[in-house]
Amino acid sequence: MFADPSNPQVYIGFDVEVAEAIARKLGMEAELVPTDWTSIVESLKRKEFRVIINGFEPTSDRARQIIFSKPYYIFQLQLTVRKDQKGIDSLSDCIAQRKVVGTLANCAASRLLESSGAVYIEYPDPVAAYVDLEYGRIDAVLMDVPMEMFYARKNPAFRNVGPLFQPGTYVAGLRTEDTELQHRINTAIDTLLADGTIERIMRKWELWDSAQSALLTGTGDFQITGRTFNWGEALIKLLKAALVTILIAFGSMIIAMVLGVPLAFGQTYGSAPLRWLCTVYIEFFRGTPVLVQLLFLYFGLPVVGIVLPGWLTALIGLGLNYAAYESQIYRTAFQAVPQRQWDVSYSLGMKPFLTFRRIIFPQAFRIALPPMTNDFVALFKDTSTAYVIAVWELATAYREMANATGQFLLLGIIVSAFYLMMSLPLAHYARKLEKKFNPSKGNGKEALRLD
Amino acid sequence: MIKAENLSKRANGDYILRDINFSLSSGSVLGIIGESGSGKTSLLMCLTALQNFDSGEISVKEMTVKSGSVNNKDEYIWSYRRQIGVVFQHLYLFPHLTVLQNIIEAPVHVLYQSREEAAEKAMELLGKVGLSHKLNDYPDNLSGGEQQRVAICRALAMSPEVLLLDEPTSALDPRFSSDVRSLLQEFVSQGHTIIIVSHSLNFLRGFASHLIYMEKGELIEFNTAEEFLTSPLDERTRRFLNHFLQVL
């Protein structure tokens, strides 16, 4: 299912047409509910819609949560690389050369990559995977043919390598209690296969191939794949994700703290154009969602030739974003130091820079420390926005692992514990730091006095 | 020696200081008195070259600062500033530094004295005002009177020619005022000058050798303390004194 390029509000595609054909057979009308791919099973269970028809494969972990119709299409996997890329002719080449393969999260291809020990990145949508392939952030993309067909085949920068392989099926997904509807949909699919409706739809989309004959004969043995899950592996994955989270949080906080200084000064003391520039920067980063900023950096910068990996984009993007906030904390903190502190220092012969360094900054720092700590904790949580650019950090890990296994509760508790294990020491350390820089308050419990 | 010649300062078109003239020889204590809003603090900010002024000039010893020339980039202004120590009404000790650190900060970083040298002088000053035991305390843990004595020591540690005190009575701890007085008197007897800005005649009486009365940014009378108190030249000074004595 894709947005119609000439009218993005309308969804088109073979899934849409199959769904409409089935609905007609049932004497119903299909209503399309666009939804997030990675949590599509959860959305079905939460009754946001009644049927999933969207290149949806039956898997063993999904089978534990919902039921499936008969297959209406047989897909295979296609490996795609950049045209100029030499030395990759199959998935085994990728595995042997430790090449990074991109794919859609929680699909047959991702499970194949996982079980075969490949280095791979899961994307929330297929477009991002092919964009990253084009920009050289990854080396190959493994995807179901229908998606490869729509998103990559016409792109002259790519070439497909190796034969199609690993056949699987697309089915409709239903809630476990909807057995009657399941039966009616199966009957409808039989009819649509027999009268050639499905073949006509697939041919229109250039998706009909010899493999589909198995649908008509009802033969064909399709392996139902499933994600293997064991807690030891899950913990290791979460631990890795936590390290990425820590790296992004610390890296971006350092950028924010450093960049906040010239922003605060430019905005307060700069010449008119500089003041204007700083204000534009600050208002831009405070006034637009960080999610949009990350997408912009990730997909926009390569247009001008700057291609950064996802984690670095997240680190820089969050750093640029939080710099705007830090600059405002600095500004208020400096304004909270009485002007007379400057006067006293000047009268002692201390010049502006010396006064700033020795007298004003330490006082402003004491004032800025508590809100900066707050920001750092907030930043820790905002690292989860890196999900949109396929960075495997803690929130992404949770979302994808939980979606694949249905273990939302247990994994949720573990992931929360991970976040707390990071943020609690941080808060503790910040309190110690506040005490250190505010030595006159013996127990550190009293409020900061500004004057 | 400190001198102001035709000193004027305007804000939004109105004079906040108008044609101030006085000259004070070394070893004097000048009290500047007047209602609040009479321009006392503005005069202090100009005399210290912390603020610019619109006309006239100020001098301490051989150094003269002309109107419009107060500028942080000018080395001369910095030399001039170092000759005047200031203790503001609200003291503005450095809250992140201990008593000792407050006092040695400028000697170490401006005069490039060694820490030991600066600390030795600081200890001597603190001893004279009975604060030797508060060396490592932070300002927030001191009483108002103690804070004021630290602020005075901080200013004196830079060995200024002139010491300016803004409204010292408001923070003064009367039990120790004799300590402070003798420290200040010692400073004067070494040939230095003190200027005290106050709205209270009580504190100035018996301590100031000269007095200035200000009203609405104008210097009404500059006289020796004795003549000022017994036979003032200006009608307005007389009125102020009468009013003050009635209140008393």
Side-chain angles (χ1 to χ4, degrees), chain B residues 14 65 213 223 225:
Chain B
D14 295 329
V65 172
Y213 175 61
N223 214 330

Side-chain angles (χ1 to χ4, degrees), chain B residues 94-141:
Chain B
F94 306 137
H96 58 300
L97 301 178
T98 64
V99 165
L100 182 67
Q101 289 166 338
N102 259 275
I103 298 173
I104 68 171
E105 180 69 21
V108 169
H109 289 101
V110 176
L111 302 179
Y112 303 109
Q113 292 176 4
S114 70
R115 286 194 161 269
E116 294 70 30
E117 187 187 352
E120 200 177 312
K121 175 150 188 204
M123 301 281 281
E124 189 193 318
L125 285 164
L126 286 170
K128 284 179 185 168
V129 292
L131 282 181
S132 301
H133 60 296
K134 298 277 185 178
L135 214 59
N136 295 316
D137 283 23
Y138 284 90
D140 283 356
N141 299 334

Side-chain angles (χ1 to χ4, degrees), chain A residues 16-35:
Chain A
V16 177
E17 293 178 20
V18 168
E20 282 167 351
I22 290 173
R24 267 196 302 278
K25 281 277 172 258
L26 300 181
M28 298 173 172
E29 198 172 322
E31 185 196 344
L32 297 181
V33 181
T35 193

Side-chain angles (χ1 to χ4, degrees), chain A residues 135-400:
Chain A
Y135 291 143
R137 288 190 180 111
I138 55 177
D139 306 300
V141 169
L142 185 66
M143 203 76 83
D144 301 4
V145 167
M147 274 178 280
E148 178 272 327
M149 178 89 186
F150 190 82
Y151 293 109
R153 188 143 322 160
K154 294 196 180 85
N155 189 332
F158 297 148
R159 74 186 162 96
N160 287 334
V161 294
L164 301 175
F165 64 108
Q166 184 99 352
T169 59
Y170 287 162
V171 297
L174 298 113
R175 290 193 287 272
T176 43
E177 67 271 21
D178 268 343
T179 46
E180 200 232 313
L181 183 62
Q182 177 194 32
H183 182 71
R184 290 173 63 200
I185 288 178
N186 283 346
T187 314
I189 290 175
D190 278 341
T191 315
L192 293 169
L193 282 170
D195 69 9
T197 307
I198 288 182
E199 181 176 346
R200 208 170 51 247
I201 293 170
M202 295 303 169
R203 282 196 190 281
K204 177 181 164 196
W205 291 93
E206 297 173 44
L207 290 170
W208 191 262
D209 52 31
S210 55
Q212 308 304 325
S213 57
L215 286 174
L216 298 168
T217 56
T219 57
D221 181 20
F222 304 109
Q223 196 190 346
I224 289 191
T225 56
R227 185 164 279 203
T228 50
F229 185 80
N230 76 64
W231 285 102
E233 239 172 64
L235 280 175
I236 289 171
K237 278 188 172 179
L238 286 176
L239 205 63
K240 278 186 189 161
L243 288 177
V244 173
T245 296
I246 290 174
L247 170 78
I248 295 175
F250 274 86
S252 47
M253 193 63 193
I254 290 170
I255 292 179
M257 282 168 65
V258 172
L259 186 61
V261 175
L263 281 173
F265 272 80
Q267 209 192 13
T268 316
Y269 304 110
S271 58
L274 186 64
R275 263 206 316 273
W276 183 84
L277 256 172
C278 291
T279 306
V280 166
Y281 178 99
I282 289 161
E283 294 313 327
F284 174 78
F285 278 99
R286 290 200 307 177
T288 58
V290 67
L291 212 69
V292 173
Q293 293 161 17
L294 290 185
L295 286 170
F296 172 77
L297 287 176
Y298 195 64
F299 297 115
L301 282 186
V303 176
V304 294
I306 304 171
V307 183
L308 301 172
W311 65 271
L312 192 58
T313 308
L315 191 153
I316 292 174
L318 286 167
L320 294 178
N321 180 274
Y322 269 78
Y325 292 96
E326 297 322 291
S327 74
Q328 296 312 292
I329 291 177
Y330 295 160
R331 219 161 59 95
T332 10
F334 285 119
Q335 280 164 358
V337 178
Q339 169 63 31
R340 283 279 194 258
Q341 290 278 344
W342 289 94
D343 291 334
V344 163
S345 308
Y346 285 1
S347 79
L348 289 167
M350 298 175 71
K351 291 184 184 171
F353 184 67
L354 182 67
T355 300
F356 175 77
R357 190 166 61 83
R358 301 278 314 171
I359 306 300
I360 307 300
F361 179 78
Q363 294 185 51
F365 187 69
R366 293 197 323 184
I367 298 166
L369 201 54
M372 279 169 74
T373 313
N374 276 345
D375 266 10
F376 196 19
V377 174
L379 176 57
F380 242 101
K381 293 180 289 182
D382 269 0
T383 52
S384 59
T385 54
Y387 166 72
V388 293
I389 53 174
V391 178
W392 182 266
E393 46 66 57
L394 206 46
T396 313
Y398 169 55
R399 198 176 149 114
E400 297 199 349

Side-chain angles (χ1 to χ4, degrees), chain B residues 156-170:
Chain B
L156 292 182
M158 288 297 284
S159 311
E161 277 304 315
V162 178
L163 180 67
L164 254 162
L165 300 162
D166 189 14
E167 297 289 358
T169 47
S170 46

Side-chain angles (χ1 to χ4, degrees), chain A residues 402-424:
Chain A
N403 274 318
T405 60
Q407 298 277 10
F408 279 89
L409 193 66
L410 257 174
L411 280 170
I413 291 169
I414 294 172
V415 166
S416 303
F418 266 106
Y419 272 116
L420 285 174
M421 268 165 11
M422 296 187 284
S423 63
L424 288 181

Side-chain angles (χ1 to χ4, degrees), chain A residues 113-131:
Chain A
L113 289 168
E114 184 185 23
S115 59
S116 60
V119 185
Y120 68 102
I121 296 178
E122 291 180 291
Y123 287 85
D125 69 279
V127 184
Y130 286 111
V131 167

